[in-house]
Amino acid sequence: QIQPVESGGGLVQAGGSLRLSCKIIGRDTDSGAQGWFRQASGKEREFVAAISASANTYYGRSVKGRFTISRDNGKNTFYLQMNSLKPEDTAIYYCAVRSTTSASTTDSHYDYWGQGTQVTVSS
C-alpha cells in the first residue's frame, strides 16, 4: 500500500521560510512523479509544484521564484522549500504521488495523497 506522509507545517511570519516533507511509504520516489497542492479556506485546491520522475520541475504562477520542489531518492522523500512567504500562502498543503513518470498540474491526475499540513503566514 502506497502512503505519502507529510510533515513540516506551522506558523511563520511574512518573509520567513518553511520546508515541508513528504515521505512515500511503499514506493520508490524515482519511479513516478510527485506534486504539492494547497487549499485555502473557502477556495478551490490549487497547484503549487510538481517534479517528474526524471526530476523536471514545474511551479504555479503565484509561487514561482519563491518555492522549490526537490527529492531525496535515498530517503524516499520529497520536499517543498518555501521562502519569502506571504499571508496569501496560508493554506492546507497536500503532497501527492502519481503512478506515472510525467508530472501534472491537475490534482485529479494524482493517485495518492498525504493527510495535509497547515501552513499559516502572519503579517
Side-chain angles (χ1 to χ4, degrees), residues 46-119:
E46 175 190 18
F47 168 72
V48 176
I51 184 167
S52 70
S54 57
N56 294 317
T57 57
Y58 307 85
Y59 296 95
R61 209 165 18 179
S62 62
V63 306
K64 197 167 186 178
R66 299 188 296 124
F67 290 12
T68 303
I69 188 171
S70 63
R71 184 169 64 209
D72 185 336
N73 294 329
K75 295 182 178 180
N76 243 35
T77 301
F78 63 105
Y79 306 94
L80 184 69
Q81 177 67 42
M82 305 183 291
N83 298 330
S84 303
L85 282 161
K86 305 174 182 180
E88 50 264 44
D89 294 318
T90 295
I92 299 174
Y93 284 70
Y94 298 90
C95 66
V97 176
R98 197 170 185 214
S99 296
T100 61
T101 57
S102 57
S104 174
T105 63
T106 304
D107 56 1
S108 61
H109 290 174
Y110 289 80
D111 304 291
Y112 307 96
W113 290 82
Q115 76 278 16
T117 187
Q118 178 70 48
V119 171

